[in-house]
Amino acid sequence: MRDDLLASGMTESDGTFSIDWVAKQMDFWDDSVQVYAKFAGTENYKPSKSEVYKMKVLWYAKRK
């Protein structure tokens, strides 16, 4: 199964980043999401992926 893209963003020059995400139910069978940061890499930098963090979502935005 393919991962869903929740949000994307850019890092600051010092490597820090902040990305906002409005909680919504991703899977009908549970109230948790697994998130990680992923960098696809470039000609000069290797790809990388953070460890996976699991979060329980207690409140969802209403679907439009």
Side-chain angles (χ1 to χ4, degrees), residues 4-24:
D4 295 313
L5 177 64
L6 300 179
S8 63
M10 303 281 289
T11 61
E12 300 295 333
S13 60
D14 65 359
T16 60
F17 65 93
S18 175
I19 298 175
D20 294 329
W21 171 65
V22 176
K24 61 182 179 178

Side-chain angles (χ1 to χ4, degrees), residues 22-37:
V22 176
K24 61 182 179 178
Q25 189 169 16
M26 301 305 295
D27 302 316
F28 69 88
W29 59 84
D30 69 13
D31 290 334
S32 65
V33 293
Q34 295 78 36
V35 297
Y36 60 88

Side-chain angles (χ1 to χ4, degrees), residues 52-63:
V52 176
Y53 297 90
K54 185 173 182 177
M55 297 184 289
K56 183 170 181 124
V57 179
L58 302 176
W59 181 86
Y60 298 107
K62 291 183 179 179
R63 293 185 189 265

